[in-house]
Amino acid sequence: MSVFGKLFGKSGESDKTLVLSAPLGGRLLPLSEVPDDIFAGKVLGDGFAIEPNEGLVVAPFDCQVAQVFRTGHAIGLTGPGGLEVLVHVGIDTVKLAGVGFKPRVSEGQKLRTGDVMLEFDLEHVRANAKSTVTPIVITNRDAVGSLELLGSGTVKRGDPVLRVLRKS
């Protein structure tokens, strides 16, 4: 079975359904509450955000690393059916020039749900960036039929948070 094979057919779900888990613990937010117009306005795509209570980021689904941003603050992932997901730690964190970020993956690497992708110094980000709120965005929204946020409030790393129904 491929790295993506186990994502589908769970719990009676169709092969077009994918559930993303929380890549870090904290308060689950809709994108509209992200303190950045690009993310809140869904310019880059749709998804969710987490205001983190920890500095460890894990893979939200079985995927492959498409891009590790040079400054370490964001990671692009690809998954089943070409789904593209961006995990972007904090707002305006590119300005930190990599200080406080330790990527633990490389481009092309295959990941399983829960594999560590990134460690970051939460207190450093809190003190030096606009916000710690971390958007998780599906950047190729045209590949998605619908999204359903599965919870609210505080989530733990690994909790199911977003159901994605892919287009056929």
Side-chain angles (χ1 to χ4, degrees):
M1 183 176 285
S2 75
V3 71
F4 304 120
K6 292 179 70 177
L7 290 172
F8 302 107
K10 291 183 181 178
S11 305
E13 304 231 4
S14 78
D15 64 353
K16 293 182 184 178
T17 302
L18 171 67
V19 175
L20 274 64
S21 59
L24 64 171
R27 188 168 58 101
L28 183 63
L29 302 168
L31 280 184
S32 61
E33 293 186 26
V34 174
D36 178 271
D37 291 340
I38 299 295
F39 288 111
K42 301 180 183 179
V43 173
L44 296 178
D46 203 351
F48 61 97
I50 295 177
E51 184 174 13
N53 59 17
E54 62 180 352
L56 183 66
V57 181
V58 301
F61 61 107
D62 290 355
C63 56
Q64 185 168 359
V65 178
Q67 181 178 10
V68 178
F69 286 65
R70 181 182 51 78
T71 54
H73 73 287
I75 297 175
L77 306 169
T78 57
L83 189 70
E84 298 171 356
V85 175
L86 173 68
V87 178
H88 189 285
V89 176
I91 302 301
D92 289 345
T93 47
V94 69
K95 294 177 182 175
L96 300 181
V99 175
F101 295 93
K102 294 178 185 168
R104 299 295 186 209
V105 295
S106 56
E107 291 178 13
Q109 185 175 342
K110 291 182 179 172
L111 303 173
R112 306 284 288 168
T113 304
D115 286 350
V116 174
M117 299 192 309
L118 171 68
E119 293 177 43
F120 68 98
D121 182 337
L122 180 59
E123 293 309 315
H124 179 76
V125 173
R126 188 174 282 137
N128 295 287
K130 181 177 178 181
S131 173
T132 61
V133 171
T134 298
I136 297 87
V137 177
I138 297 171
T139 57
N140 60 337
R141 181 71 168 102
D142 58 330
V144 175
S146 66
L147 300 175
E148 177 189 2
L149 202 55
L150 299 175
S152 62
T154 301
V155 295
K156 293 182 213 158
R157 187 176 351 112
D159 285 352
V161 292
L162 185 72
R163 180 176 290 116
V164 180
L165 178 62
R166 294 183 305 126
K167 287 184 181 175
S168 37

